[in-house]
Amino acid sequence: MYVTSEDQCWKLTSSTCELVPELQCNHEEADTRIILHAQHASGKCVVHCDDTDVLIILLAHSQSLGECYIKKGKGSQSRIIDLSLIVDYLSNQLFDCISKENYLKALIGVHALTGCDTVSAFCGKGKWKAIQLLQKKKEYLHVMARLGETWDLSEEVFRATEAFVCNLYGHQVDSVDLLRYKLYCVKGGKVEPEALPPCQSSLRLHVERSNYQAAIWRCALSPCPDIPSPHEHGWNVDNDVINFVWLGSKPAPEEVLELLSCSCKRACSLQSCCCLKSGLKCTDMCSLQCDNMAVIDENITPDESDDEDGD
């Protein structure tokens, strides 16, 4: 039996307790540490886990693992699945121009982009459609395979990822801002904000987070990878507290923000209030005087110019 404690790993038998140097690592998450241990097992290995993140990382690194199985479920509902059968099933759906190795590598990128434990998902957009795009279009597979290759997101990878996201929403365009406008017009303005893709500034932050997470997963077989701080990779770190950075710019031009108002009847809530959904304060144009109103300091102190005018 192997037991881990912080960065150490110990092998326990009925009579001995030995340190295992090759399993000493600095991985913060068990998700990647499991992969390192699976590789160390070299022979048959059964991973008991229902976490989708772990399954994707196992698939992506399956060519470097031995005979690996994954056990899912509990009790009478549990089952053991040969990882190679999943790989073969996915590979059989690929077009001839797409290699299995690149496809498995791309799974990490597309999984991080479409939502995981640390990265949000696109509302109403499941993973299967994204995976199908990889199976059919080589250019999308190529960019998802590059996501997480380096810690810093390149402009080329971002632009290609932006086009992939547009296709995920069913349109062959290269700009999410253009797509947002197009979808808004098609719906005659009657569209919920969550039904639209994120604006470009928000998408860039989302892709930066996806790239960072994918890079960590790609290092799963490295015991002590040099992982930079998540600060400025779509997150903000302040006093060891990590916060999401959702917007890289204002949600709309100032002229539009001044005209935005909600028509809530009883109370403003995140589910119904367009101001709250957009991260904005309610204004005097809104139907209610609610707790989301901006607080205006009525005790205005005249500035120096006012004093001069009064003299």
Side-chain angles (χ1 to χ4, degrees):
M1 180 173 68
Y2 290 82
V3 178
T4 61
S5 175
E6 296 183 350
D7 61 345
Q8 303 292 332
C9 180
W10 304 82
K11 181 180 179 181
L12 306 182
T13 66
S14 58
S15 58
T16 62
C17 177
E18 300 176 352
L19 186 66
V20 185
E22 57 268 31
L23 289 179
Q24 180 179 350
C25 70
N26 64 354
H27 295 198
E28 291 187 4
E29 295 290 335
D31 293 2
T32 52
R33 197 163 191 170
I34 287 173
I35 315 303
L36 188 65
H37 281 244
Q39 185 192 45
H40 180 263
S42 65
K44 288 186 179 181
C45 174
V46 179
V47 177
H48 191 173
C49 184
D50 285 321
D51 194 317
T52 306
D53 291 358
V54 174
L55 174 60
I56 294 297
I57 306 171
L58 281 170
L59 288 171
H61 292 287
S62 59
Q63 305 301 297
S64 301
L65 304 178
E67 190 176 345
C68 190
Y69 300 82
I70 186 165
K71 184 178 181 181
K72 301 179 69 67
K74 297 180 180 179
S76 60
Q77 301 298 319
S78 65
R79 52 181 178 160
I80 298 177
I81 306 170
D82 187 342
L83 200 66
S84 64
L85 295 180
I86 303 177
V87 172
D88 291 341
Y89 172 78
L90 293 173
S91 300
N92 290 335
Q93 301 182 53
L94 301 178
F95 283 18
D96 294 337
C97 61
I98 297 176
S99 69
K100 178 175 69 175
E101 290 73 19
N102 285 338
Y103 178 70
L104 293 176
K105 186 178 179 182
L107 286 179
I108 279 184
V110 75
H111 179 59
L113 181 71
T114 54
C116 59
D117 290 350
T118 56
V119 182
S120 58
F122 300 108
C123 183
K125 304 301 175 185
K127 292 184 178 293
W128 184 239
K129 182 177 180 179
I131 290 176
Q132 287 178 315
L133 288 176
L134 296 187
Q135 294 170 343
K136 298 176 181 178
K137 299 203 174 185
K138 191 174 182 179
E139 62 269 27
Y140 293 150
L141 180 137
H142 179 65
V143 69
M144 288 298 102
R146 292 183 61 189
L147 200 65
E149 281 190 336
T150 61
W151 295 106
D152 294 321
L153 178 68
S154 69
E155 186 65 20
E156 179 187 359
V157 171
F158 171 71
R159 292 295 181 180
T161 303
E162 183 178 14
F164 176 81
V165 172
C166 290
N167 205 324
L168 194 60
Y169 279 82
H171 293 265
Q172 296 279 353
V173 295
D174 296 330
S175 168
V176 286
D177 287 344
L178 177 62
L179 178 56
R180 284 167 62 88
Y181 176 73
K182 184 176 181 180
L183 293 175
Y184 183 85
C185 293
V186 168
K187 297 291 185 179
K190 298 179 180 180
V191 56
E192 294 296 326
E194 59 268 23
L196 298 173
C199 63
Q200 190 180 79
S201 65
S202 293
L203 179 64
R204 184 180 295 275
L205 292 166
H206 178 91
V207 178
E208 285 179 354
R209 288 189 288 270
S210 305
N211 184 79
Y212 182 87
Q213 181 59 77
I216 291 177
W217 289 340
R218 296 195 191 283
C219 297
L221 297 179
S222 175
C224 297
D226 185 13
I227 299 176
S229 167
H231 187 65
E232 295 187 350
H233 289 278
W235 291 281
N236 180 55
V237 181
D238 186 17
N239 293 325
D240 294 330
V241 177
I242 302 176
N243 295 303
F244 283 93
V245 181
W246 294 113
L247 286 174
S249 62
K250 292 184 177 180
E254 288 291 349
E255 295 81 1
V256 175
L257 296 179
E258 291 176 0
L259 296 175
L260 184 66
S261 62
C262 66
S263 56
C264 301
K265 301 299 182 183
R266 295 184 178 180
C268 291
S269 65
L270 187 59
Q271 290 74 25
S272 60
C273 178
C274 63
C275 296
L276 284 172
K277 286 182 178 180
S278 302
L280 303 173
K281 292 291 185 180
C282 290
T283 67
D284 292 335
M285 295 179 63
C286 297
S287 58
L288 294 176
Q289 300 294 308
C290 66
D291 294 337
N292 190 43
M293 296 284 290
V295 178
I296 301 176
D297 188 1
E298 296 181 353
N299 298 319
I300 302 175
T301 302
D303 56 24
E304 294 181 359
S305 61
D306 292 336
D307 292 339
E308 292 175 359
D309 292 340
D311 288 341

